[in-house]
């Protein structure tokens, strides 16, 4: 195939069905083709350089171009390209990765079930939860409570746990046994309440739901420590402690979906460390391999693992590529780099606070109602009138405009409705943060101008 943009765009529009994409619209526009990357930058097929403030899709935590990860995959593929972990076998890279995960995750999480993605991890979560309560002799305790604006993946189970309207409509979802409560989105829904009071109120919606369904029917509560794809929704400080009190009181398992927050995003190894969440199950993916190869998993607490193991029967669940040797080797190299180069400590103590202070200054812009964030994740609320938190009538237009200006000006920033999102590679330095902020300001100005908003 000839190496040029027009050909690629043509073949792409004829033969490639893209995820979460209006294929017709894309075919008429022509897609942007990303051909290479290094550090915090990617280049397209026209050699345009873009600062990737999304770390791919929230995953390239150590940045692009680390030879150690390519070498780890190459070496593993020559030595043992494939073997499975079924039928009483295992292999060194899966074993070594399980041990390393036990070391970096919270203390009560000592076992991992490997998957290939976050979606498979969340389907595995459903299987583990059902198995756990069956073995407890409470098979009717099977409802899982999730939240509005949640994204937990695209497989049937994971999409059911999520709350994306189009996914439910198109997929005839959710599957039975899944309920949703409101999420603690203070800027949008908090009204006159203080963040602390709103956090308590949002957490108590869980207790009301448990009482309405009957605690003997409720198996688990699933939530991201900070909601990512839903719009970087950061719970007030009062939220997680109250959630934990409620789950403990009603004997409901806690699932902390760490697919985005895990491996340093918040300046801690896991969102669970940041919020002191004691999860029974912890799905992981994305930053586990920094996206260099697909791999996910579920960290399983001693409480759940011991019952499943001591019961003696096999857990009838698994994937051909559960713990693929090359993916495990790459994840091992990735975690070693995160640890040895103290990348997460640097986000916590140095670059994270710097990014957050610069990011907060964007709240002074006439278009920005709120600028929030933790560590290396952030969001801006674009609003029509910030004096009274008035949102745009046609939600999403301002976000799209701003996102397009960012692309044109060399910055990849994502829009969720009218919320602008960043989740940069954790290795982004202060100079690159300055570059991010200055392009963001320029694009906010251009967007405000398009919308006729002036200070
Ligand atoms: N849980 C969470 C919290 C996620 O963010 C998944 C599970 C599913 O992971 P996989 O590996 O199956 O994709 C995710 C994925 C977006 C976007 O547009 C976000 C995700 C995936 C694709 C797009 O923000 N998150």
């Amino acid at each position: 195939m000839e190496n040029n943009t027009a050909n690629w765009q043509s073949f792409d529009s004829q033969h490639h069905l893209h995820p979460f994409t209006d294929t017709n619209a894309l075919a008429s526009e022509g897609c942007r083709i990303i051909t290479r990357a290094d550090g915090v930058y990617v280049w397209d097929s026209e050699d345009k350089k873009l600062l990737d403030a999304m770390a791919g899709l929230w995953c390239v935590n150590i940045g692009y171009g680390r030879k150690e990860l390519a070498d780890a995959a190459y070496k593993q593929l020559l030595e043992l390209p494939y073997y499975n972990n079924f039928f009483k076998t295992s292999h060194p890279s899966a074993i070594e990765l399980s041990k390393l995960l036990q070391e970096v995750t919270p203390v009560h999480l000592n076992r991992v079930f490997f998957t290939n993605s976050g979606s498979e991890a969340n389907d595995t979560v459903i299987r583990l939860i059902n198995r756990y309560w069956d073995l407890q002799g409470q098979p009717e305790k099977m409802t899982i409570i999730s939240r509005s604006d949640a994204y937990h993946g695209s497989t049937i189970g994971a999409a059911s746990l999520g709350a994306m309207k189009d996914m439910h409509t198109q997929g005839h979802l959710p599957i039975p046994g899944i309920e949703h409560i409101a999420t603690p989105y203070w800027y949008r829904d908090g009204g006159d309440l203080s963040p602390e009071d709103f956090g308590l109120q949002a957490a108590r919606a869980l207790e009301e739901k448990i009482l309405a369904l009957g605690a003997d029917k409720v198996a688990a509560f699933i939530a991201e420590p900070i909601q990512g794809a839903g719009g970087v929704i950061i719970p007030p400080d009062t939220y997680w402690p109250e959630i934990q009190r409620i789950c403990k009181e009603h004997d409901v398992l806690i699932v902390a979906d760490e697919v985005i927050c895990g491996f340093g995003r918040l300046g801690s190894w896991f969102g669970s460390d940041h919020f002191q969440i004691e999860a029974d199950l912890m799905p992981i993916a994305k930053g586990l391999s920094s996206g260099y190869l697909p791999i996910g998993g579920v960290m399983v607490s001693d409480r759940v693992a011991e019952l499943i193991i001591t019961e003696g029967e096999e857990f009838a669940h698994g994937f051909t590529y559960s713990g693929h040797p090359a993916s495990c080797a790459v994840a091992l190299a990735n975690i070693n780099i995160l640890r040895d180069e103290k990348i997460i400590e640097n986000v916590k103590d140095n670059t994270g606070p710097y990014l957050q202070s610069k990011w907060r200054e964007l709240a002074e812009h006439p278009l920005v109602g709120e600028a929030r964030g933790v560590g290396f994740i952030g969001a801006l609320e674009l609003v029509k009138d910030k004096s009274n938190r008035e949102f745009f009538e046609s939600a999403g237009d301002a976000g799209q405009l701003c996102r397009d200006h960012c692309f044109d000006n060399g910055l990849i920033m994502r829009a969720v409705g009218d919320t602008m999102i960043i989740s940069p590679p954790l290795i982004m330095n202060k100079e690159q943060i300055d570059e991010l902020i200055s392009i963001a300001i320029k694009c906010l100005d251009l967007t405000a101008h398009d919308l006729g908003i002036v200070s």
Side-chain angles (χ1 to χ4, degrees):
M1 185 160 51
E2 218 179 304
N3 182 352
N4 66 49
T5 306
N7 264 348
W8 277 332
Q9 284 177 329
S10 159
F11 290 136
D12 187 84
S13 73
Q14 291 173 67
H15 305 298
H16 189 178
L17 194 54
H18 286 253
F20 283 100
T21 299
D22 176 341
T23 301
N24 242 343
L26 182 66
S28 63
E29 269 173 48
C31 61
R32 184 186 296 276
I33 297 158
I34 304 298
T35 52
R36 64 195 168 91
D38 189 31
V40 298
Y41 296 98
V42 300
W43 282 262
D44 72 11
S45 52
E46 297 296 292
D47 218 28
K48 183 176 169 65
K49 182 180 177 185
L50 297 151
L51 179 64
D52 183 9
M54 278 309 297
L57 262 183
W58 322 79
C59 56
V60 189
N61 288 12
I62 61 163
Y64 299 95
R66 290 301 298 246
K67 191 167 177 296
E68 298 91 328
L69 271 63
D71 287 343
Y74 182 71
K75 185 164 167 277
Q76 183 64 57
L77 288 171
L78 287 177
E79 205 166 277
L80 179 72
Y82 176 75
Y83 206 74
N84 62 68
N85 294 293
F86 288 48
F87 315 132
K88 302 184 183 176
T89 63
S90 194
H91 56 75
S93 64
I95 298 167
E96 282 166 28
L97 181 57
S98 329
K99 174 73 183 106
L100 189 54
L101 284 169
Q102 176 264 321
E103 287 170 24
V104 299
T105 55
V107 291
H108 64 292
L109 299 169
N110 290 312
R111 269 180 200 272
V112 61
F113 188 100
F114 286 119
T115 68
N116 304 288
S117 67
S119 299
E120 285 181 4
N122 279 317
D123 273 43
T124 301
V125 158
I126 297 175
R127 297 293 319 279
L128 284 164
I129 290 169
N130 288 336
R131 184 79 181 130
Y132 175 80
W133 288 114
D134 282 355
L135 291 172
Q136 286 281 16
Q138 291 176 267
E140 72 290 348
K141 203 166 161 70
M142 61 178 291
T143 298
I144 302 174
I145 300 175
S146 179
R147 305 186 298 179
S148 62
D149 302 283
Y151 187 79
H152 294 294
S154 257
T155 47
I156 286 174
S160 295
L161 292 172
M164 301 292 163
K165 243 191 227 109
D166 289 351
M167 298 180 87
H168 285 187
T169 313
Q170 293 177 15
H172 305 290
L173 301 174
I175 55 172
I178 291 174
E179 298 275 338
H180 292 86
I181 57 169
T183 200
Y185 195 163
W186 177 77
Y187 187 77
R188 186 185 65 187
D189 303 328
D192 294 332
L193 290 177
S194 68
E196 291 73 24
D197 287 347
F198 179 71
L200 283 178
Q201 176 184 295
R204 286 179 189 151
L206 175 62
E207 191 153 44
E208 285 158 26
K209 186 60 111 181
I210 293 171
L211 293 173
L213 294 164
D216 56 339
K217 302 280 191 299
V218 180
F221 171 66
I222 181 167
E224 296 169 71
I226 286 179
Q227 234 163 332
V232 182
I233 303 167
I234 304 174
D237 290 343
T238 47
Y239 183 75
W240 274 111
E242 184 66 358
I243 289 285
Q244 298 204 86
R245 177 198 64 79
I246 293 164
C247 288
K248 207 168 209 167
E249 206 161 306
H250 299 286
D251 203 14
V252 166
L253 297 175
I254 297 181
V255 184
D257 182 339
E258 295 269 7
V259 168
I260 284 178
C261 294
F263 302 97
R265 180 57 49 208
L266 310 186
S268 51
W269 272 90
F270 293 91
S272 292
D273 298 322
H274 182 83
F275 290 108
Q276 295 175 343
I277 303 165
E278 200 173 315
D280 298 290
L281 296 168
M282 195 172 97
I284 52 178
K286 293 191 191 274
L288 168 56
S289 65
S290 284
Y292 279 55
L293 280 182
I295 183 167
V298 182
M299 294 305 301
V300 185
S301 63
D302 297 344
R303 170 185 177 180
V304 175
E306 274 161 23
L307 186 64
I308 288 176
I309 293 162
T310 54
E311 212 279 340
E313 248 179 68
E314 76 175 36
F315 175 47
H317 181 72
F319 307 102
T320 302
Y321 302 124
S322 284
H324 188 280
S327 299
C328 288
V330 165
L332 268 169
N334 174 60
I335 296 173
N336 283 328
I337 286 176
L338 282 172
R339 191 155 75 169
D340 298 346
E341 296 181 10
K342 301 200 184 326
I343 289 173
I344 298 171
E345 286 88 334
N346 192 43
V347 168
K348 179 171 190 287
D349 300 329
N350 182 22
T351 49
Y354 185 76
L355 171 65
Q356 292 303 331
S357 77
K358 296 275 167 189
W359 190 249
R360 292 292 193 286
E361 288 171 16
L362 299 179
E364 286 157 27
H365 194 278
L367 192 56
V368 177
E370 185 187 56
R372 58 176 179 265
V374 175
F376 257 34
I377 196 168
L380 302 175
E381 296 283 359
L382 306 188
V383 291
K384 189 170 171 191
D385 183 351
K386 61 196 280 183
S387 68
N388 58 0
R389 259 195 246 179
E390 185 186 347
F391 294 90
F392 292 102
E393 288 99 43
S394 158
D397 292 353
Q400 282 301 317
L401 275 172
C402 186
R403 195 200 68 133
D404 291 347
H405 282 306
C406 288
F407 253 120
D408 293 344
N409 284 279
L411 172 66
I412 302 178
M413 176 146 80
R414 200 158 130 22
V416 177
D418 289 331
T419 310
M420 303 310 297
I421 304 292
I422 53 161
S423 164
L426 305 183
I427 47 122
M428 184 175 272
N429 63 31
K430 289 183 176 172
E431 201 183 331
Q432 293 159 341
I433 291 171
D434 289 342
E435 185 187 350
L436 188 171
I437 298 291
S438 82
I439 303 177
I441 292 171
K442 178 176 176 196
C443 296
L444 287 168
D445 286 345
L446 290 167
T447 309
H449 179 264
D450 293 344
L451 295 167
I453 290 183
V454 282
S455 45

